[in-house]
Amino acid sequence: MQTNMRREIDEIPEAAQRLLERSADQLKAAGSALRAKDPAFLVTIARGSSDHAALFLKYAIELQAGRPVASLGPSLASIYGAKLKLGGAAAIAISQSGKSPDIVAMAQAATDAGAVSIALTNTLPSPISKACTHPLDILAGPEIAVAATKSYVNSIVAGLAVLGEWTGDAALQRAVADLPNQFAKAVKLDWHEFAADLGEAESLYVLGRGPALAIASEAALKFKETSGMHAEAYSAAEVLHGPVALVGAKFPVLTLAARDAAEGSVAEIADGMAEKGAVVHVTSSRAGKAKRLPFVETGHPITDALTLILPFYGFVEAWSRSRGLNPDAPASLKKVTETR
């Protein structure tokens, strides 16, 4: 019997196409607003998978637009009542449900402070859409499984589309427009070899660098959510500053590399851990000792990183079922989490 999670993973290409077609005018308007504002910096407001989407957009914006991006703790507004000086900034708030009180409060505070505020949400109308100057419907469609998949991906697609409009970067715009086709390829990739090598492991590392670090963070969360397995995400560089001490014989490491400037160093670190006896899998053909996982080459370093999440989602859904668990309904979790 097919799970809701598997069905929603398979819907990602269609959901992305729907977003790019039906929200085109709103995406352009948000990009135009950023171009007119010319913000000195940006802030993001999100939690959970949405915060991992925000991390991906942070790297994309810093690489493509040259503006620094910082993540704001929502409790600054909801608990501490802090007044931040955001008049020269733009804010991106991401929330699937659009109604988590602390996310809404921080978004409203950013808008009140004079920031151009963009809401990426799967629910319109919603409190988050009212709190921001540019509410964008990511149009992922109903998502029943507790673990976010297509809403995570569409949040990033929407952000990248806005970024392309803002910067006028033709290469990025073409790459974003082609994402539904690339997703259709990526969703069919099989990472079963990684599952076979996990064996009875109780913990693992997920590594990435740049935009792929955001994918690693999302992957580590999904291990915990769907499979009750301890997983920690690290920058492939940061892991060498201490955490590598835990890596020994048979320790599993999933290394996510995109076709970008960091690929060579990430593959080298993966090989180094493999030499220590760790069971290392990497999405790169530049590794010599780590085992290679299949990936899609999109022709753009930013979208290359994003496609890595699709085969991972497929893998972790199957891995959860193989452990006798239900990935649709993780223990102690519910679909909408409202924090204050």
Side-chain angles (χ1 to χ4, degrees):
M1 180 178 177
Q2 188 180 59
T3 64
N4 289 320
M5 184 178 178
R6 180 69 246 188
R7 184 170 59 254
E8 288 162 7
I9 294 166
D10 291 338
E11 290 172 0
I12 290 174
E14 179 186 351
Q17 187 68 52
R18 180 169 58 243
L19 164 65
L20 294 174
E21 290 178 352
R22 298 187 188 176
S23 288
D25 291 343
Q26 291 80 7
L27 296 169
K28 289 180 180 179
S32 296
L34 288 175
R35 190 163 55 251
K37 179 77 172 183
D38 191 23
F41 65 99
L42 293 89
V43 296
T44 61
I45 307 161
R47 290 198 187 280
S49 286
S50 294
D51 198 34
H52 300 154
L55 178 59
F56 191 102
L57 294 176
K58 165 188 165 67
Y59 277 107
I61 291 167
E62 289 173 345
L63 289 167
Q64 299 291 132
R67 303 296 198 282
V69 182
S71 172
L72 294 183
S75 62
L76 287 171
S78 63
I79 300 295
Y80 297 103
K83 304 296 182 182
L84 301 181
K85 297 179 180 179
L86 299 174
I92 301 175
I94 308 176
S95 172
Q96 298 170 46
S97 69
K99 61 181 182 180
S100 189
D102 55 350
I103 303 295
V104 174
M106 191 68 252
Q108 186 66 62
T111 302
D112 293 344
V116 168
S117 54
I118 299 171
L120 304 180
T121 181
N122 203 33
T123 309
L124 287 180
S126 60
I128 196 74
S129 67
K130 297 175 183 177
C132 294
T133 55
H134 291 275
L136 298 178
D137 190 343
I138 64 170
L139 293 171
E143 192 172 59
I144 300 171
V146 170
T149 53
K150 59 180 181 173
S151 62
Y152 170 80
V153 173
N154 262 25
S155 293
I156 295 176
V157 174
L160 292 180
V162 171
L163 176 59
E165 291 293 336
W166 170 21
T167 60
D169 188 309
L172 178 60
Q173 291 174 345
R174 287 193 299 270
V176 171
D178 195 39
L179 273 173
N181 295 326
Q182 302 297 346
F183 288 161
K185 300 175 190 175
V187 79
K188 297 176 183 177
L189 297 181
D190 189 346
W191 286 8
H192 69 277
E193 183 181 351
F194 180 49
D197 282 347
L198 273 179
E200 300 301 317
E202 297 181 355
S203 184
L204 79 154
Y205 285 165
V206 189
L207 308 182
R209 205 164 185 184
L213 175 58
I215 302 301
S217 298
E218 170 67 0
L221 175 62
K222 288 298 181 286
F223 265 117
K224 297 168 187 172
E225 284 182 332
T226 68
S227 305
M229 187 171 184
H230 179 253
E232 292 297 327
Y234 286 104
S235 157
E238 188 67 28
V239 74
L240 300 180
H241 292 261
V244 70
L246 297 182
V247 177
K250 298 185 178 180
F251 189 94
V253 180
L254 173 60
T255 309
L256 301 175
R259 271 26 67 201
D260 64 8
E263 183 181 8
S265 66
V266 172
E268 183 179 350
I269 290 168
D271 279 345
M273 290 188 175
E275 288 178 349
K276 291 167 61 70
V279 180
V280 186
H281 290 73
V282 61
T283 58
S284 174
S285 58
R286 298 173 67 173
K289 298 185 179 297
K291 298 183 179 181
R292 301 175 186 179
L293 291 171
F295 54 86
V296 168
E297 293 190 57
T298 68
H300 194 287
I302 301 295
T303 55
D304 234 41
L306 180 54
T307 60
L308 296 174
I309 197 60
L310 277 79
F312 172 80
Y313 278 156
F315 154 78
V316 83
E317 185 271 344
W319 173 248
S320 174
R321 288 187 289 102
S322 75
R323 290 165 65 91
L325 301 172
N326 179 4
D328 286 343
S332 304
L333 295 178
K334 56 183 180 179
K335 184 60 182 174
V336 178
T337 302
E338 296 187 25
T339 48
R340 297 185 181 276

